[in-house]
C-alpha cells in the first residue's frame, strides 16, 4: 500500500485509520478476475470486516454481493445499494427484527444456523406473506488450523448445524411452506493460509451433495464462506492475496452441476491490506531491559494483537533511511497489560511526535474499535 505522506499527515488527528483506495481497487480487480475461472462463482463481501460506507460503495461497484451478520449490516448493504438478491444474511443469533429487516428487503438468502431459527423465519415470513429463501449452515467438522478464536467449523463451535442432525433438519426445511431451501452454507474459519483446508471442505461438500442427490434433493446454491488469509508478515511484499490459487482449489476439487452457483464470502482478503492504523508516538520510556514506545493508538482502536495474539507489521513514517536502529516494545495507552502491539521490534530511532503505521489493519480493525477507558473512536481518512 501507499502510505500517507507528510502533507496528508499534517491534516489528520491520530489515531486514525488510513485506507488506500488504489490498493482496494486493485484487490477487487484481482478477485473479480480470479473468480472468472468459473461463470458459476459469485463473490460476496463480508461486511463485518469493515463496514465503512465509502468502502462498501467502492466494493459494490465491482458487482460483489454482501454477506451480513446483523440487521444493521443488511441496512448498510442496502444503503450502499448492493442488489438485495445478492445480500446473504448469516449469524447464530438473528433477532426477530433482524429477520424482518431481511425479509422486507427481499434479500437473496438467510443462512440458517439452527432448527429453532428455521421455524422462526418460517413463521415471520408467513406473517409477512413472503417466502424466505434459505440455506442451512452446516458445521462441516473440519479443522482450519487457525487461531482457536476464529475457528468455526468444529463440532465444539457454536456455528452451524451438526452433520448428525442435517438429514432431519433438511427434511423439516423442505416441509415448511414459507421457506424455500435453496442451498447449503459452510464457513470453516478465518485467516486460513493453508489452502489444503479448503480442499477438505470441497471433499465434505461433494459427499453431502451426493448423499442428498441420492435422496432426490438438489441444492441450487452452495456457499463456502470466507476465510482466505493475508500476509501479515510482509504486507508490502504481498499486498494482494493469492486469489487465483484459492479459486483453483475449488475449481479442481468441488463438483458443481451446471445449474448450481458457488458463493464465497470474503472479508479480510478484500480489505485487510488496504488499511493502516496511523498513530503518533507519545512517549519513549527506557526500562531496565526494555525500551517502550508508547503510542496514541491502543487495543481499543485495534484489538487483534490483544485478542488473538495477532502480529501486525509496524513502520515509522517520514524517517530518514540513515536513522539509527533501536529495538522497541510498541504499546498503547490503555490500562491493560495486553495493550501491546509488538515487542522487541527494530525501528529507526523514535521520538515523541513521530508517526507510525500499523499495517494490514483494514479488516477487523476499525470495525472492532470500542470505547473502553472512555477513549474516542479512531478517525478515518481515505487516499481519495
Ligand atoms: N462468512 C462467515 C460466515 C464468517 O463468519 C466470516 C468471518 C466470513 C464469512 C468472513 O471471513 P474472512 O474472509 O474475513 O476470513 N475478528 C477476527 C476474524 C473473525 C471472522 C469472523 N467471521 C480477526 O480479526 O481475525
Amino acid at each position: 500500500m501507499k502510505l500517507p505522506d507528510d502533507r496528508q499527515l499534517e491534516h489528520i488527528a491520530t489515531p486514525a485509520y488510513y485506507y488506500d483506495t488504489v490498493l482496494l481497487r486493485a484487490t477487487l480487480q484481482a478477485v473479480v478476475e480470479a473468480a472468472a475461472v468459473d461463470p458459476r462463482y459469485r463473490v460476496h463481501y463480508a461486511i463485518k470486516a469493515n463496514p465503512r460506507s465509502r468502502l462498501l460503495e467502492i466494493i459494490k461497484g465491482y458487482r460483489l454481493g454482501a454477506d451480513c451478520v446483523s440487521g444493521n449490516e443488511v441496512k448498510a448493504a442496502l444503503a450502499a445499494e448492493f442488489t438485495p438478491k445478492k445480500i446473504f444474511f448469516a449469524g447464530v443469533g438473528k433477532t426477530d427484527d433482524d429477520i424482518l429487516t431481511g425479509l422486507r428487503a427481499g434479500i437473496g438468502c438467510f443462512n440458517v444456523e439452527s432448527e429453532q431459527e428455521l421455524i422462526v423465519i418460517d413463521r415471520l415470513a408467513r406473517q409477512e406473506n413472503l417466502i424466505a429463501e434459505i440455506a442451512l449452515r452446516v458445521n462441516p467438522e473440519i479443522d482450519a488450523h487457525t487461531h482457536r478464536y476464529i475457528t468455526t467449523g468444529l463440532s465444539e463451535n457454536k456455528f452451524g448445524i451438526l452433520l448428525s442432525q442435517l438429514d432431519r433438519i433438511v427434511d423439516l426445511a423442505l416441509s415448511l411452506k414459507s421457506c424455500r431451501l435453496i442451498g447449503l452454507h459452510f464457513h470453516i474459519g478465518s485467516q486460513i493460509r493453508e489452502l489444503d483446508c479448503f480442499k477438505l471442505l470441497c471433499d465434505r461438500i461433494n459427499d453431502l451433495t451426493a448423499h442428498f442427490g441420492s435422496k432426490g434433493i438438489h441444492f441450487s446454491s452452495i456457499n463456502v464462506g470466507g476465510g482466505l488469509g493475508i500476509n501479515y508478515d510482509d504486507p508490502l511484499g504481498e499486498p494482494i492475496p493469492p486469489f487465483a490459487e484459492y479459486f483453483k482449489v475449488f475449481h479442481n476439487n468441488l463438483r458443481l452441476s451446471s445449474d448450481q452457483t458457488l458463493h464465497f464470502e470474503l472479508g479480510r482478503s478484500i480489505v485487510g491490506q488496504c488499511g493502516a492504523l496511523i498513530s503518533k508516538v507519545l512517549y519513549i520510556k527506557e526500562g531496565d531491559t526494555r525500551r517502550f514506545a508508547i503510542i496514541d493508538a491502543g487495543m481499543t482502536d485495534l484489538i487483534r494483537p490483544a485478542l488473538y495474539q495477532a502480529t501486525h507489521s509496524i513502520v515509522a513514517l517520514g524517517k530518514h533511511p540513515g536513522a539509527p536502529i533501536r529495538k522497541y516494545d510498541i504499546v498503547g495507552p490503555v490500562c491493560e497489560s495486553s495493550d501491546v502491539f509488538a515487542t522487541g521490534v527494530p525501528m529507526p530511532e523514535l521520538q515523541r511526535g513521530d508517526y507510525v503505521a500499523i499495517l494490514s489493519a483494514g479488516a477487523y480493525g476499525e470495525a472492532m474499535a470500542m470505547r473502553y477507558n472512555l477513549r474516542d473512536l479512531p478517525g478515518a481518512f481515505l487516499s481519495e
Side-chain angles (χ1 to χ4, degrees), residues 54-352:
R54 181 68 193 121
L55 302 184
L56 294 186
E57 284 163 15
I58 294 175
I59 293 166
K60 184 229 117 189
Y62 286 75
R63 299 172 175 273
L64 270 61
D67 160 46
C68 303
V69 287
S70 69
N72 284 346
E73 284 193 359
V74 172
K75 288 178 191 164
L78 294 168
E81 298 184 351
F82 279 84
T83 311
K85 282 283 163 234
K86 290 188 185 176
I87 298 176
F88 287 10
F89 188 0
V92 283
K94 302 177 190 76
T95 65
D96 290 19
D97 276 349
D98 287 339
I99 294 167
L100 287 170
T101 299
L103 283 171
R104 290 173 184 156
I107 64 164
C109 190
F110 287 87
N111 295 329
V112 177
E113 305 235 9
S114 66
E115 180 174 359
Q116 208 165 31
E117 182 194 335
L118 179 63
I119 293 165
V120 170
I121 293 178
D122 182 64
R123 178 170 54 74
L124 292 173
R126 188 161 41 257
Q127 173 191 308
E128 295 288 305
N129 214 5
L130 294 166
I131 302 286
E133 308 242 289
I134 62 147
L136 293 179
R137 175 165 178 182
V138 181
N139 182 326
E141 297 167 34
I142 288 172
D143 190 349
H145 297 133
T146 184
H147 190 278
R148 67 190 177 92
Y149 285 4
I150 51 176
T151 288
T152 49
L154 294 174
S155 59
E156 70 208 47
N157 300 129
K158 68 182 174 184
F159 298 101
I161 294 165
L162 291 176
L163 292 168
S164 56
Q165 302 177 2
L166 190 58
D167 277 292
R168 185 172 57 77
I169 299 182
V170 164
D171 288 344
L172 172 65
L174 290 170
S175 73
L176 298 174
K177 297 276 179 296
S178 301
C179 284
R180 183 179 302 127
L181 177 62
I182 60 167
L184 295 180
H185 173 230
F186 305 82
H187 173 75
I188 57 175
S190 197
Q191 185 49 21
I192 297 169
R193 298 272 287 164
E194 291 174 33
L195 296 183
D196 273 357
C197 296
F198 294 113
K199 182 177 175 310
L200 295 179
L201 176 61
C202 293
D203 295 343
R204 175 75 82 231
I205 296 172
N206 288 337
D207 290 348
L208 284 173
T209 48
H211 166 74
F212 285 106
S214 71
K215 296 174 37 165
I217 300 169
H218 180 72
F219 300 105
S220 59
S221 162
I222 301 291
N223 184 334
V224 290
L228 174 62
I230 61 172
N231 190 338
Y232 282 97
D233 298 328
D234 184 17
L236 301 177
E238 193 189 344
I240 298 185
F243 292 121
E245 285 87 330
Y246 170 71
F247 289 114
K248 220 169 275 164
V249 173
F250 295 92
H251 196 62
N252 292 341
N253 295 289
L254 191 71
R255 285 196 300 273
L256 283 182
S257 59
S258 59
D259 60 343
Q260 269 177 329
T261 49
L262 182 64
H263 299 258
F264 301 84
E265 303 168 334
L266 298 175
R268 185 190 320 262
S269 52
I270 290 177
V271 290
Q273 297 294 28
C274 76
L277 177 58
I278 311 294
S279 178
K280 234 183 203 176
V281 176
L282 291 173
Y283 303 108
I284 303 295
K285 177 157 121 174
E286 303 278 348
D288 274 349
T289 55
R290 317 204 69 89
R291 182 181 299 110
F292 297 100
I294 301 162
I295 63 174
D296 64 3
M299 61 188 285
T300 52
D301 307 297
L302 176 65
I303 202 174
R304 304 195 65 260
L307 190 57
Y308 318 112
Q309 297 78 47
T311 50
H312 287 249
S313 299
I314 305 177
V315 294
L317 300 178
K319 281 285 178 186
H320 295 294
I325 301 294
R326 305 234 181 281
K327 280 193 175 167
Y328 295 92
D329 286 7
I330 313 260
V331 301
V334 176
C335 299
E336 292 284 336
S337 303
S338 57
D339 187 23
V340 174
F341 289 112
T343 49
V345 281
M347 305 276 286
E349 187 165 49
L350 293 171
Q351 277 149 17
R352 175 173 166 83

